[in-house]
PDB file of all heavy atoms in Angstrom:
ATOM      1  N   ALA H 286      -2.926   4.672  28.652  1.00  0.00           N
ATOM      2  CA  ALA H 286      -2.959   4.161  30.022  1.00  0.00           C
ATOM      3  C   ALA H 286      -3.928   4.975  30.872  1.00  0.00           C
ATOM      4  O   ALA H 286      -4.716   4.414  31.655  1.00  0.00           O
ATOM      5  CB  ALA H 286      -1.565   4.181  30.628  1.00  0.00           C
ATOM      6  N   ARG H 287      -3.924   6.288  30.697  1.00  0.00           N
ATOM      7  CA  ARG H 287      -4.821   7.141  31.464  1.00  0.00           C
ATOM      8  C   ARG H 287      -6.250   7.058  30.937  1.00  0.00           C
ATOM      9  O   ARG H 287      -7.209   7.169  31.707  1.00  0.00           O
ATOM     10  CB  ARG H 287      -4.318   8.575  31.462  1.00  0.00           C
ATOM     11  CG  ARG H 287      -2.940   8.723  32.103  1.00  0.00           C
ATOM     12  CD  ARG H 287      -2.475  10.150  32.185  1.00  0.00           C
ATOM     13  NE  ARG H 287      -3.208  10.888  33.191  1.00  0.00           N
ATOM     14  CZ  ARG H 287      -2.988  12.169  33.486  1.00  0.00           C
ATOM     15  NH1 ARG H 287      -2.036  12.834  32.839  1.00  0.00           N
ATOM     16  NH2 ARG H 287      -3.689  12.784  34.413  1.00  0.00           N
ATOM     17  N   VAL H 288      -6.394   6.862  29.631  1.00  0.00           N
ATOM     18  CA  VAL H 288      -7.728   6.618  29.073  1.00  0.00           C
ATOM     19  C   VAL H 288      -8.351   5.388  29.721  1.00  0.00           C
ATOM     20  O   VAL H 288      -9.534   5.373  30.089  1.00  0.00           O
ATOM     21  CB  VAL H 288      -7.656   6.448  27.542  1.00  0.00           C
ATOM     22  CG1 VAL H 288      -8.970   5.907  26.987  1.00  0.00           C
ATOM     23  CG2 VAL H 288      -7.313   7.776  26.870  1.00  0.00           C
ATOM     24  N   HIS H 289      -7.542   4.357  29.912  1.00  0.00           N
ATOM     25  CA  HIS H 289      -8.064   3.106  30.466  1.00  0.00           C
ATOM     26  C   HIS H 289      -8.374   3.196  31.954  1.00  0.00           C
ATOM     27  O   HIS H 289      -9.112   2.357  32.482  1.00  0.00           O
ATOM     28  CB  HIS H 289      -7.081   1.966  30.176  1.00  0.00           C
ATOM     29  CG  HIS H 289      -7.033   1.588  28.734  1.00  0.00           C
ATOM     30  ND1 HIS H 289      -5.981   0.905  28.161  1.00  0.00           N
ATOM     31  CD2 HIS H 289      -7.916   1.814  27.722  1.00  0.00           C
ATOM     32  CE1 HIS H 289      -6.230   0.720  26.881  1.00  0.00           C
ATOM     33  NE2 HIS H 289      -7.388   1.265  26.584  1.00  0.00           N
ATOM     34  N   GLU H 290      -7.840   4.205  32.618  1.00  0.00           N
ATOM     35  CA  GLU H 290      -8.216   4.414  34.019  1.00  0.00           C
ATOM     36  C   GLU H 290      -9.675   4.825  34.149  1.00  0.00           C
ATOM     37  O   GLU H 290     -10.265   4.708  35.225  1.00  0.00           O
ATOM     38  CB  GLU H 290      -7.316   5.482  34.645  1.00  0.00           C
ATOM     39  CG  GLU H 290      -5.871   5.035  34.823  1.00  0.00           C
ATOM     40  CD  GLU H 290      -4.981   6.166  35.317  1.00  0.00           C
ATOM     41  OE1 GLU H 290      -5.507   7.299  35.507  1.00  0.00           O
ATOM     42  OE2 GLU H 290      -3.776   5.930  35.515  1.00  0.00           O
ATOM     43  N   LEU H 291     -10.274   5.294  33.054  1.00  0.00           N
ATOM     44  CA  LEU H 291     -11.660   5.749  33.063  1.00  0.00           C
ATOM     45  C   LEU H 291     -12.647   4.684  32.584  1.00  0.00           C
ATOM     46  O   LEU H 291     -13.832   4.958  32.434  1.00  0.00           O
ATOM     47  CB  LEU H 291     -11.790   7.005  32.186  1.00  0.00           C
ATOM     48  CG  LEU H 291     -10.878   8.180  32.555  1.00  0.00           C
ATOM     49  CD1 LEU H 291     -11.051   9.322  31.564  1.00  0.00           C
ATOM     50  CD2 LEU H 291     -11.144   8.647  33.971  1.00  0.00           C
ATOM     51  N   LEU H 292     -12.164   3.480  32.341  1.00  0.00           N
ATOM     52  CA  LEU H 292     -13.022   2.395  31.866  1.00  0.00           C
ATOM     53  C   LEU H 292     -13.970   1.914  32.958  1.00  0.00           C
ATOM     54  O   LEU H 292     -13.689   2.069  34.157  1.00  0.00           O
ATOM     55  CB  LEU H 292     -12.166   1.212  31.414  1.00  0.00           C
ATOM     56  CG  LEU H 292     -11.395   1.349  30.107  1.00  0.00           C
ATOM     57  CD1 LEU H 292     -10.441   0.168  29.932  1.00  0.00           C
ATOM     58  CD2 LEU H 292     -12.344   1.449  28.923  1.00  0.00           C
ATOM     59  N   PRO H 293     -15.083   1.299  32.572  1.00  0.00           N
ATOM     60  CA  PRO H 293     -15.914   0.605  33.561  1.00  0.00           C
ATOM     61  C   PRO H 293     -15.075  -0.420  34.322  1.00  0.00           C
ATOM     62  O   PRO H 293     -14.141  -1.010  33.767  1.00  0.00           O
ATOM     63  CB  PRO H 293     -16.980  -0.080  32.701  1.00  0.00           C
ATOM     64  CG  PRO H 293     -17.045   0.736  31.449  1.00  0.00           C
ATOM     65  CD  PRO H 293     -15.651   1.221  31.207  1.00  0.00           C
ATOM     66  N   GLU H 294     -15.427  -0.662  35.556  1.00  0.00           N
ATOM     67  CA  GLU H 294     -14.619  -1.507  36.437  1.00  0.00           C
ATOM     68  C   GLU H 294     -14.331  -2.880  35.837  1.00  0.00           C
ATOM     69  O   GLU H 294     -13.214  -3.379  35.924  1.00  0.00           O
ATOM     70  CB  GLU H 294     -15.320  -1.652  37.785  1.00  0.00           C
ATOM     71  CG  GLU H 294     -14.665  -2.643  38.735  1.00  0.00           C
ATOM     72  CD  GLU H 294     -13.220  -2.282  39.043  1.00  0.00           C
ATOM     73  OE1 GLU H 294     -12.892  -1.082  39.080  1.00  0.00           O
ATOM     74  OE2 GLU H 294     -12.413  -3.221  39.242  1.00  0.00           O
ATOM     75  N   ARG H 295     -15.316  -3.486  35.219  1.00  0.00           N
ATOM     76  CA  ARG H 295     -15.119  -4.851  34.708  1.00  0.00           C
ATOM     77  C   ARG H 295     -14.074  -4.904  33.598  1.00  0.00           C
ATOM     78  O   ARG H 295     -13.354  -5.889  33.451  1.00  0.00           O
ATOM     79  CB  ARG H 295     -16.440  -5.451  34.214  1.00  0.00           C
ATOM     80  CG  ARG H 295     -17.119  -4.689  33.103  1.00  0.00           C
ATOM     81  CD  ARG H 295     -18.483  -5.243  32.761  1.00  0.00           C
ATOM     82  NE  ARG H 295     -18.389  -6.505  32.042  1.00  0.00           N
ATOM     83  CZ  ARG H 295     -19.435  -7.112  31.491  1.00  0.00           C
ATOM     84  NH1 ARG H 295     -20.653  -6.578  31.622  1.00  0.00           N
ATOM     85  NH2 ARG H 295     -19.285  -8.225  30.827  1.00  0.00           N
ATOM     86  N   LEU H 296     -13.950  -3.802  32.819  1.00  0.00           N
ATOM     87  CA  LEU H 296     -12.931  -3.758  31.773  1.00  0.00           C
ATOM     88  C   LEU H 296     -11.564  -3.394  32.338  1.00  0.00           C
ATOM     89  O   LEU H 296     -10.545  -3.932  31.900  1.00  0.00           O
ATOM     90  CB  LEU H 296     -13.344  -2.776  30.678  1.00  0.00           C
ATOM     91  CG  LEU H 296     -14.530  -3.204  29.813  1.00  0.00           C
ATOM     92  CD1 LEU H 296     -14.909  -2.106  28.834  1.00  0.00           C
ATOM     93  CD2 LEU H 296     -14.227  -4.495  29.070  1.00  0.00           C
ATOM     94  N   ARG H 297     -11.528  -2.491  33.308  1.00  0.00           N
ATOM     95  CA  ARG H 297     -10.249  -2.190  33.970  1.00  0.00           C
ATOM     96  C   ARG H 297      -9.676  -3.445  34.617  1.00  0.00           C
ATOM     97  O   ARG H 297      -8.469  -3.690  34.586  1.00  0.00           O
ATOM     98  CB  ARG H 297     -10.435  -1.117  35.053  1.00  0.00           C
ATOM     99  CG  ARG H 297     -10.654   0.261  34.528  1.00  0.00           C
ATOM    100  CD  ARG H 297     -10.260   1.323  35.558  1.00  0.00           C
ATOM    101  NE  ARG H 297     -10.807   1.064  36.872  1.00  0.00           N
ATOM    102  CZ  ARG H 297     -11.999   1.447  37.296  1.00  0.00           C
ATOM    103  NH1 ARG H 297     -12.802   2.103  36.478  1.00  0.00           N
ATOM    104  NH2 ARG H 297     -12.403   1.181  38.521  1.00  0.00           N
ATOM    105  N   ALA H 298     -10.550  -4.260  35.181  1.00  0.00           N
ATOM    106  CA  ALA H 298     -10.105  -5.476  35.862  1.00  0.00           C
ATOM    107  C   ALA H 298      -9.426  -6.443  34.904  1.00  0.00           C
ATOM    108  O   ALA H 298      -8.505  -7.163  35.282  1.00  0.00           O
ATOM    109  CB  ALA H 298     -11.289  -6.150  36.553  1.00  0.00           C
TER     110      ALA H 298
END
Side-chain angles (χ1 to χ4, degrees):
R287 299 184 72 179
V288 168
H289 290 160
E290 291 174 0
L291 304 177
L292 287 171
E294 173 59 33
R295 60 186 287 188
L296 290 176
R297 287 204 312 273

